[in-house]
Amino acid sequence: MKQLNPSVQPHLHRIVIVGGGAGGLELATRLGQSLGKRGQAQVILIDAALTHIWKPLLHEVAAGTINSYEDELNYFAHASKHHFEFHLGRMCDIDREQKQVVLEPLSNGESVVIAPERRVRYDTLVVAVGSTSNDFGTAGARENCIFLDARPQADRFQREFLSLYLQAQARSLSDQNPQFLNIAIIGAGATGVELAAELHHAAHELPRYGLTSIDPRNVNITLIEAAERILPGLPPQTSHTAERELKKMGINVMTSRRVVAISPDGIECDGDIHIPANLKVWSAGIKAPDFLKNIAGLETNRINQLVVGPSLQTTLDADIFAMGDCASYIPEGETRPIPPRAQVANQQSILLAKSMKARLNGQPLPHFKFTDKGSLVSLSQKNSVGNLMGDINVQGIIARLMYVSLYRLHQVAIHGFFKTAVLMTKDLLSRSSGPRLKLH
Ligand SMILES: Cc1cc2nc3c(=O)[nH]c(=O)nc-3n(C[C@H](O)[C@H](O)[C@H](O)COP(=O)(O)OP(=O)(O)OC[C@H]3O[C@@H](n4cnc5c(N)ncnc54)[C@H](O)[C@@H]3O)c2cc1C
């Protein structure tokens, strides 16, 4: 492998990617395997976490239907195999004059500082830091809701969900009355719908493992949506099918209902409606992380996304690119930006891998054209709904297989076909031998 020490190769073009998620990790891997391997550029990935888990799996982590520790990837190990460098750190600023990314001091989570503020020089910078939930300033949301933005929050939800079962189990020794569990999910986009269905599935699985104190019929899951229909970003047919399936499961679907405040014991909606809830999840809307707002004088929009042109270069600095959920790109002739989805991040990583090569060779940069391959929404282990190519509606096990294949395609992009096949085999074996739910 080529030695990438900058002091040995001072003129090597340095591409720094900040954010190793659905888009950034695929891009770092592609560039490492090409420019990094051939010694044509130094590729550096920076992420605030040590490990990667594909974000669309987070609702399954929250429900305990997958074990996040089995599906995660360690950045250091992956980088060393794929000819790029990994730096652990959280970007807090960009110094455009010095062409440096500023990383905040790194602590070990117990306020011990492991590394002071650091700066990483770049020739080309790609910002791929994703998005966080947008609570639109709703009173009590931050204090009382869980946001499924990253693995620690999904793990926290899973622990709290399990704790409520364990508490009910303990209570049932002295109290013979039926035990209830109320869960409210605010926002019925793909995340909210998928989580509701996954929790319904988990509630029916738990009694198989002896956690019988809460009858699955007493697990009340309420999905609250401000728009007229659930999955408002998808075609109406998909919304109607998904709503019908959720209702069949006994999930309480409330549409055209605006949440005005969240209290420790429930949700307050307009019309003076109170929905009692032990567990509350906020999944309505996204925004780019707050630190991006007007960062380094770059153009950002009202939800903090960096505004980019067709080559995904930021509008005010051609050396800085942005991709995925943290970027806003409105194609010519359209009025709305392309949506924040994993398939967009994937397609942009493919484009940017080409762009970086073109940039090194002084060639014009290709333009991004989003090909919407449709959207699939998981309704738990055996069912999904969605539409393909805009107008083909799919449902059931076929849709579920297509949904699962999206994750496998992400694995192929970062591990290649052979390792993905090995991982699939390992998953099949461990899921057939171990419990279907994470119970710790
Ligand atoms: C529960 C859930 C289900 C979803 N389901 C689907 C689906 O079915 N289909 C679909 O298309 N999309 C789905 N999405 C959306 C999809 O996950 C995102 O669109 C996609 O992950 C965006 O990719 P990204 O690379 O922009 O960001 P991400 O994948 O979010 O990655 C961002 C990365 O940046 C890192 N980071 C953040 N801040 C910093 C910082 N300051 N410094 C350094 N690193 C930082 C993070 O640690 C993370 O690794 C779902 C999302 C959720 C939450």
Side-chain angles (χ1 to χ4, degrees):
M1 195 179 107
K2 278 264 176 200
Q3 178 54 258
L4 294 177
N5 185 339
S7 58
V8 178
Q9 293 167 322
H11 302 300
L12 207 55
H13 188 94
R14 196 186 258 205
I15 302 167
V16 174
I17 302 157
V18 184
L25 181 60
E26 290 189 11
L27 177 62
T29 308
R30 287 194 169 93
L31 290 177
Q33 287 295 112
S34 52
L35 301 179
K37 191 172 181 181
R38 292 198 287 267
Q40 292 169 338
Q42 182 184 17
V43 181
I44 295 178
L45 175 68
I46 299 172
D47 199 284
L50 268 173
T51 56
H52 161 81
I53 183 152
W54 197 52
K55 205 173 175 185
L57 294 180
L58 287 184
H59 64 281
E60 296 181 54
V61 176
T65 46
I66 65 164
N67 184 339
S68 60
Y69 294 93
E70 283 179 9
D71 278 270
E72 69 185 351
L73 163 155
N74 180 284
Y75 285 118
F76 279 112
H78 187 75
S80 72
K81 271 197 206 133
H82 294 276
H83 312 275
F84 66 88
E85 284 177 30
F86 174 66
H87 291 219
L88 177 65
R90 182 175 289 280
M91 177 168 93
C92 55
D93 204 357
I94 302 169
D95 182 339
R96 282 170 57 203
E97 219 166 277
Q98 302 290 325
K99 297 184 91 176
Q100 291 173 340
V101 166
V102 184
L103 305 182
E104 64 184 37
L106 184 65
S107 79
N108 70 351
E110 286 155 19
S111 33
V112 176
V113 175
I114 299 171
E117 182 181 285
R118 288 155 296 154
R119 286 172 169 251
V120 180
R121 186 188 60 76
Y122 63 84
D123 294 304
T124 301
L125 173 63
V126 182
V127 183
V129 292
S131 60
T132 61
S133 306
N134 191 347
D135 64 17
F136 308 101
T138 307
R142 282 278 134 203
E143 300 81 356
N144 299 306
C145 289
I146 295 180
F147 297 79
L148 290 188
D149 289 335
R151 204 192 78 190
Q153 290 139 318
D155 283 338
R156 181 182 143 207
F157 182 94
Q158 189 265 337
R159 282 195 305 273
E160 291 192 12
F161 181 57
L162 193 58
S163 295
L164 288 167
Y165 268 83
L166 296 174
Q167 282 167 14
Q169 192 89 344
R171 252 195 328 267
S172 65
L173 295 175
S174 54
D175 177 358
Q176 299 307 311
N177 291 318
Q179 305 286 323
F180 288 86
L181 173 56
N182 298 318
I183 303 172
I185 302 168
I186 301 127
T191 305
V193 167
E194 291 181 341
L195 178 66
E198 208 64 36
L199 288 172
H200 167 83
H201 170 71
H204 281 76
E205 280 288 310
L206 281 163
R208 286 162 46 108
Y209 301 103
L211 289 162
T212 50
S213 50
I214 308 179
D215 184 316
R217 286 166 301 186
N218 293 342
V219 177
N220 301 313
I221 303 170
T222 305
L223 188 58
I224 309 158
E225 171 58 50
E228 283 177 352
R229 58 184 173 93
I230 65 166
L231 300 171
L234 299 186
Q237 176 66 36
T238 307
S239 302
H240 296 142
T241 312
E243 183 167 342
R244 191 188 62 218
E245 293 298 313
L246 292 176
K247 284 183 169 163
K248 264 198 230 163
M249 295 177 199
I251 292 166
N252 179 19
V253 179
M254 297 173 83
T255 48
S256 305
R257 187 59 67 204
R258 211 170 57 82
V259 169
V260 290
I262 322 276
S263 60
D265 63 345
I267 316 289
E268 316 304 327
C269 296
D270 54 2
D272 243 355
I273 293 175
H274 172 79
I275 301 161
N278 312 84
L279 270 177
K280 300 157 279 281
V281 181
W282 187 279
S283 66
I286 62 124
K287 61 176 178 170
D290 289 333
F291 81 93
L292 280 186
K293 178 120 209 107
N294 300 324
I295 190 168
L298 295 170
E299 188 187 357
T300 52
N301 66 9
R302 73 187 162 79
I303 55 164
N304 308 334
Q305 290 170 312
L306 288 162
V307 180
V308 296
S311 58
L312 306 183
Q313 284 161 303
T314 50
T315 46
L316 302 177
D317 191 330
D319 293 332
I320 302 181
F321 294 69
M323 68 182 297
D325 285 9
C326 71
S328 169
Y329 170 50
I330 304 179
E332 205 182 312
E334 295 191 21
T335 50
R336 289 159 64 115
I338 49 171
R341 292 208 213 132
Q343 61 169 312
V344 172
N346 161 267
Q347 291 177 27
Q348 292 185 336
S349 78
I350 295 170
L351 179 102
L352 284 180
K354 291 181 189 145
S355 311
M356 295 302 134
K357 286 169 209 161
R359 202 167 144 78
L360 288 184
N361 296 328
Q363 292 162 348
L365 301 186
H367 285 185
F368 182 66
K369 190 173 176 314
F370 174 47
T371 310
D372 190 349
K373 297 185 176 146
S375 297
L376 293 165
V377 178
S378 166
L379 297 178
S380 196
Q381 302 301 303
K382 293 198 176 95
N383 194 4
S384 291
V385 292
N387 75 298
L388 302 176
M389 312 300 174
D391 55 3
I392 306 168
N393 294 307
V394 283
Q395 196 197 336
I397 191 76
I398 301 286
R400 175 69 198 170
L401 290 173
M402 288 174 163
Y403 177 85
V404 172
S405 71
L406 295 177
Y407 176 45
R408 297 303 177 192
L409 287 174
H410 173 66
Q411 287 187 313
V412 168
I414 54 180
H415 298 302
F417 282 103
F418 179 72
K419 188 164 175 199
T420 302
V422 173
L423 289 170
M424 279 172 71
T425 313
K426 185 207 88 178
D427 288 350
L428 282 174
L429 290 175
S430 64
R431 276 163 204 176
S432 60
S433 58
R436 289 190 200 167
L437 284 181
K438 185 166 177 272
L439 298 165
H440 56 278

